[in-house]
Amino acid sequence: MDSPSPLDQITERVERLLARHAELQRANALLTAQVVSLTQERDSLRSRLSTARMRVDALLEKLPAAQDAAPAGPNDPPKDAE
């Protein structure tokens, strides 16, 4: 058998490189779309977190300021025991 000519070898190599380039372009497009989607999800979660923090802060402001009004913790002795 004859070995492929240098021109045939170059042609085959260029065709493989073009196929690889197209494959990488498709992968890049998919990854770019994924980044956009995840960025939107992150922004939405940040917004929800901010809203939740504001609600918690508002609820904390409504709590009585006196220490006596604070609920007993699980390790605190009952008030009758004092």
Side-chain angles (χ1 to χ4, degrees):
M1 288 195 138
D2 294 326
S3 63
S5 70
L7 183 58
D8 290 339
Q9 290 176 344
I10 292 171
T11 301
E12 182 180 328
R13 175 102 172 118
V14 167
E15 287 173 354
R16 283 197 315 263
L17 287 171
L18 287 172
R20 181 70 174 142
H21 179 261
E23 178 184 328
L24 289 172
Q25 281 184 317
R26 285 189 300 271
N28 186 47
L30 290 172
L31 290 171
T32 300
Q34 189 176 12
V35 166
V36 168
S37 173
L38 290 172
T39 300
Q40 291 172 346
E41 182 181 1
R42 180 206 61 202
D43 292 345
S44 173
L45 290 171
R46 281 183 175 169
S47 175
R48 289 176 57 196
L49 177 61
S50 176
T51 301
R53 280 185 175 152
M54 288 188 298
R55 290 177 65 195
V56 168
D57 288 342
L59 288 172
L60 288 174
E61 288 177 11
K62 291 181 181 180
L63 290 177
Q67 181 67 21
D68 295 337
N75 296 327
D76 292 342
K79 292 194 181 232
D80 297 342
E82 292 178 3

